[in-house]
Amino acid sequence: MAFPDRRTLNVLMTALLFGLVLAIAYVARAVIVIFAFSILFAYLINPIVRFLQKHSLFFKNLRGPHVAEAYLALLILLGLIVHSLAPQLVPRVQRLVRDSPAMMENVYSGDIAVDMGHRNGWDEAQSLRAKAFLQQHQGSVRGLLESVKQFVSVAFGGILLIPILGLFFLSDGEKLANGIIQLISTREAYAEARALAADLNDMLQHYIRAKVILAVSSLLYCSIAMLFLGYRHALALGLMAGVLEFIPVAGWITALITIATVGMATHSHWIWMAALLGLWRMLMDYAISPRVVGHELEMHPLLAIFTVMVGGAVGGIVGIYLSVPLVATLRVIWHRFAPSAEHAETAPG
């Protein structure tokens, strides 16, 4: 059998290398997602850092102190929101963490059904039926609670890790990008790689600008609606809704549950507010968000809706959030290299 020629070997090696990269990306998908969110977080904080650096009297040539100032300001803002909405949140969370093993054992044994029955006025037969149901499905309940526990631990770890990685991207992002370009590009392609990096940087800035516009829109809508309905802590709740707009699906669900709970606790018009939030969600998902994102990324609104739906079907919440910047990245790469490829094909041989 004849040995394959050099062209066939190059094709095979390229296919194997591409397959190896895909395999590594699949195995390390959790790490890649965390780094992707860290980069987006760095782009979100970067305008604040640049503003502080521009208007500061000291350390104008250093980014580190202003990155620390931006992080400190965000922590103070988050603390004020939490304190205004739930002053007793920290003690309650500590109590929940301390009592969670006993609570889980009560769920597994079914005793929690008896406790809930006493608190809510159930008769003995209802409590026993609920207890028997939990005991019969003990394996399923245990698996569900373990899955929730694992998800919460991973999400909490990501929440802690993303700002830390974002700190490195804010401080040394430009040096890191230049190092990657020098590593993967040849001397002839260096200028083209720098131009591509500049296009990607501009695209991500426009994407974050779109997310900020949507967050501010939610903040204003929710604050005005709650002020009109006589809500307590309307501005703090509106600010929370605006911040949670950066988190797809889970963000607005958390905002809806929190606002409705506060409304019920303070005897406000929470049913009307829930209806207004549902209407706002429909407008955001199918009218406002596609147009704002499409305008910033030069993408048709229908394509933006399609991209988000496909991303949600493939990757869930993470796919919803990363689908639009991923498609925009592919679009930038295509527009950067497609003219060169077409010119190479039409050039005389």
Side-chain angles (χ1 to χ4, degrees):
M1 184 176 64
F3 194 79
D5 58 10
R6 186 176 184 83
R7 180 180 178 84
T8 304
L9 285 176
N10 289 336
V11 172
L12 290 175
M13 292 299 297
T14 302
L16 288 174
L17 180 61
F18 185 72
L20 179 62
V21 170
L22 289 180
I24 294 174
Y26 178 78
V27 173
R29 59 190 182 277
V31 177
I32 295 174
V33 167
I34 290 177
F35 269 77
F37 277 108
S38 302
I39 293 172
L40 293 177
F41 183 80
Y43 272 93
L44 177 64
I45 305 299
N46 188 51
I48 303 176
V49 176
R50 293 173 62 182
F51 176 83
L52 293 174
Q53 189 174 2
K54 181 178 180 181
H55 295 85
S56 176
L57 298 177
F58 307 99
F59 307 113
K60 282 194 172 183
N61 296 325
L62 298 176
R63 286 178 61 85
H66 306 294
V67 171
E69 291 174 3
Y71 270 62
L72 181 61
L74 287 177
L75 290 176
I76 293 174
L77 178 62
L78 180 61
L80 291 175
I81 294 175
V82 172
H83 179 72
S84 61
L85 294 179
Q88 301 298 323
L89 180 62
V90 175
R92 291 176 182 175
V93 171
Q94 292 176 346
R95 194 181 311 117
L96 179 63
V97 173
R98 185 181 65 250
D99 299 339
S100 59
M103 291 175 58
M104 294 180 69
E105 288 300 326
N106 286 336
V107 173
Y108 299 150
S109 64
D111 293 336
I112 192 172
V114 179
D115 296 338
M116 291 180 62
H118 289 313
R119 294 176 186 175
N120 296 283
W122 297 356
D123 57 32
E124 186 176 357
Q126 288 177 320
S127 299
L128 291 177
R129 281 198 299 267
K131 180 178 180 179
F133 177 83
L134 290 176
Q135 289 177 342
Q136 292 173 1
H137 298 82
Q138 183 178 3
S140 301
V141 173
R142 187 183 295 272
L144 177 62
L145 290 179
E146 290 297 329
S147 299
V148 172
K149 182 179 178 181
Q150 184 179 4
F151 174 79
V152 170
S153 62
V154 172
F156 186 73
I159 291 173
L160 293 179
L161 187 58
I162 286 172
I164 296 174
L165 293 177
L167 179 65
F168 288 99
F169 286 118
L170 280 170
S171 302
D172 300 319
E174 186 174 354
K175 295 180 181 178
L176 179 62
N178 291 333
I180 294 175
I181 291 173
Q182 293 178 356
L183 178 65
I184 65 176
S185 65
T186 60
R187 183 178 302 177
E188 295 78 8
Y190 180 78
E192 192 71 22
R194 291 278 300 179
L196 175 61
D199 290 343
L200 293 175
N201 177 63
D202 185 65
M203 180 272 297
L204 289 174
Q205 288 179 351
H206 281 279
Y207 175 71
I208 293 298
R209 184 185 305 169
K211 299 299 290 184
V212 171
I213 292 173
L214 296 175
V216 172
S217 301
S218 290
L219 187 156
L220 294 175
Y221 177 87
C222 294
S223 299
I224 293 172
M226 284 184 286
L227 287 173
F228 180 76
L229 294 175
Y231 256 72
R232 296 181 185 178
H233 312 297
L235 296 179
L237 288 170
L239 182 59
M240 178 206 67
V243 172
L244 289 176
E245 188 64 39
F246 286 97
I247 304 175
V249 184
W252 72 264
I253 292 177
T254 303
L256 173 62
I257 294 173
T258 304
I259 291 173
T261 303
V262 172
M264 287 187 287
T266 58
H267 304 287
S268 302
H269 300 284
W270 67 272
I271 297 179
W272 282 103
M273 190 63 209
L276 290 175
L277 287 175
L279 176 63
W280 177 247
R281 196 71 254 157
M282 293 180 63
L283 292 174
M284 281 287 287
D285 289 343
Y286 298 104
I288 300 175
S289 179
R291 293 187 179 277
V292 172
V293 173
H295 174 74
E296 291 292 333
L297 298 181
E298 299 180 358
M299 183 185 299
H300 194 277
L302 185 60
L303 178 59
I305 295 174
F306 176 77
T307 301
V308 171
M309 294 177 67
V310 173
V314 174
I317 295 177
V318 175
I320 292 174
Y321 199 91
L322 296 181
S323 57
V324 172
L326 178 60
V327 170
T329 299
L330 296 176
R331 178 178 175 273
V332 169
I333 295 174
W334 172 259
H335 281 282
R336 171 60 59 178
F337 290 106
S340 302
E342 293 175 358
H343 178 73
E345 290 180 357
T346 56

